[in-house]
Amino acid sequence: MRGLDEHRAATLALAAPLPAVEVGLLDALGLVLAADVVTDEVLPRWDNSAMDGYAALAADVARAAPDAPVALRVVGDLAAGSADEPTVVAGTAVRIMTGAPVPPGADAVLPVELTRPADPRVGAWAEVGGVVEAVQRVEPGANVRRAGEDAAPGDLVLTAGALVGPAHVAAAASVGRATLVVHRRPRIAVISTGDELVAPGEPLPRGRIPDSNSWLLAAAVQEAGATALRLGPTSDDPDELRALVAALDDGRHGTVDGIVTSGGVSVGAFDVVKAALTGVEFVSVAVQPGKPQGLGRLPGGTPIWTLPGNPVSSFASFEAFVRPAIRRMLGLVDVERPRFAAVAADGWRTPPGRAQLMPVRLTEPDEPGAVRRGDDGRVRVWRATSGGSGSHLVARLAVAQGLAVVPADVPEVRPGDTLEVFLT
Ligand SMILES: Nc1nc2c(c(=O)[nH]1)N[C@H]1C(S)=C(S)[C@@H](COP(=O)(O)OP(=O)(O)OC[C@H]3O[C@@H](n4cnc5c(N)ncnc54)[C@H](O)[C@@H]3O)O[C@H]1N2
Ligand code: MOO
């Protein structure tokens, strides 16, 4: 049997970052930058106010106090966006709103809360032409946001290799970029196989099974950051699957960067995937669930992963072998989900000589809600389905929040043992 890590390395070897394309900011979300973004802008563009208040000279108000107010004549009004440049000289102030450029002469902003109008009838703000009283001192530079303190020309604002999230989109927009250069989003075909499969909601004659894997895998493909092309289910006739896979590999369904199938890879008498595909290496991997696996590259160059049909096996196999490959196509260097150490809240025996990917929950069974931590602060995990890994228990898989990775040489997990877990 091939080891989990060895098979993972083989599957990663099939994937490479996709070519770079230029896309609009929102279309870049979830994709990986293929080029640095270096700004030629100054950000903020101008010294500007951090507060609604009055731009003034700090020296003028150096002795201001509630019982010793300092009167300033209001000589102008600056809303954010205003291009006016009223000059502030000793004894004067300009009303200024948050974000407006600090006017010439002023070296500080008095928040409106530290002032009162000399004429109490006018409300919280003195009017232009009126008088405002400072009732507290401010230091030179107080409440002024300096030009260039966020970014200066030549600064590296975004780095190639970064996964674009909302903050990256905002940073690009703030330095005047409406597009980003990213690795193209992978498009992955998903095919479920088997005569027994029926579309969701269709009548279920005896022996038939609702096709959940094509939905599971298509959703997982999309969650991983790719676009899913969901096809099938195909029948147990190898010719049908062979023709579909050839069409995908030939580009007859548009660009396809990879193909994932489910079912038909064990030792059954009707294992259609094994029968249909040549050039695919079928191996047993020392992992549970997910033992029967297939991997290869089609004549047209398209990578293909053939996953086992049991739904939990399909899910765990996707996490272990397909998701990292998709992440690499996206252009990521670190393709793994972050793992953390958790504490087993229950115990179970594990299959000898095989690593285990156990669906786990972080909340107590039958008690939805908060994540549970032990006295040491570490998260406690329970098997999502008690009584074995149950690779057919697809409805119950939905209570799992992650997978625990139990190494092949661990024969048994006992309550209190440390487990490596990643969230799914
Ligand atoms: N004699 C042996 N039998 C089996 C072995 C073995 O080593 N020797 N391995 C078992 C393991 S482990 C797995 S995993 C499965 C893998 O089987 P296949 O990949 O060939 O999958 P199928 O036989 O097509 O289906 C298995 C199971 O999953 C259900 N299924 C299939 N496709 C879907 C779908 N799209 N949606 C929902 N459920 C699906 C199918 O109805 C079967 O119940 O083989 C074991 N057997
Ligand atoms: O390995 Mo199978 O994937 O255990 O159910």
Side-chain angles (χ1 to χ4, degrees), residues 83-112:
D84 292 351
E85 294 187 79
T87 301
V88 175
V89 296
T92 70
V94 163
R95 293 182 6 157
I96 190 165
M97 304 306 139
T98 305
V102 173
D107 66 356
V109 172
L110 285 159
V112 65

Side-chain angles (χ1 to χ4, degrees), residues 361-376:
R361 58 190 298 164
L362 279 55
T363 53
E364 242 166 281
D366 307 322
E367 190 194 334
V371 169
R372 297 282 163 217
R373 290 177 188 277
D375 293 339
D376 60 358

Side-chain angles (χ1 to χ4, degrees), residues 192-193 196-197 209-214 262-267 271 291-292 307-311 313:
S192 55
T193 68
E196 76 275 29
L197 300 177
I209 287 172
D211 169 24
S212 58
N213 283 352
S214 70
S262 91
V265 292
S266 61
V267 293
D271 277 339
K291 183 177 68 163
L307 308 185
N310 278 327
S313 312

Side-chain angles (χ1 to χ4, degrees), residues 230-289:
R230 202 186 60 81
L231 300 163
T234 57
S235 69
D236 280 339
D237 174 3
D239 287 339
E240 186 189 345
L241 179 64
R242 202 177 289 125
L244 178 57
V245 165
L248 289 164
D249 188 37
D250 290 350
R252 278 175 271 159
H253 290 265
T255 302
V256 171
D257 301 298
I259 301 171
V260 182
T261 67
S262 91
V265 292
S266 61
V267 293
F270 310 100
D271 277 339
V272 60
V273 173
K274 272 185 153 171
L277 301 178
T278 48
V280 174
E281 186 188 9
F282 293 98
V283 290
S284 287
V285 178
V287 61
Q288 193 274 321

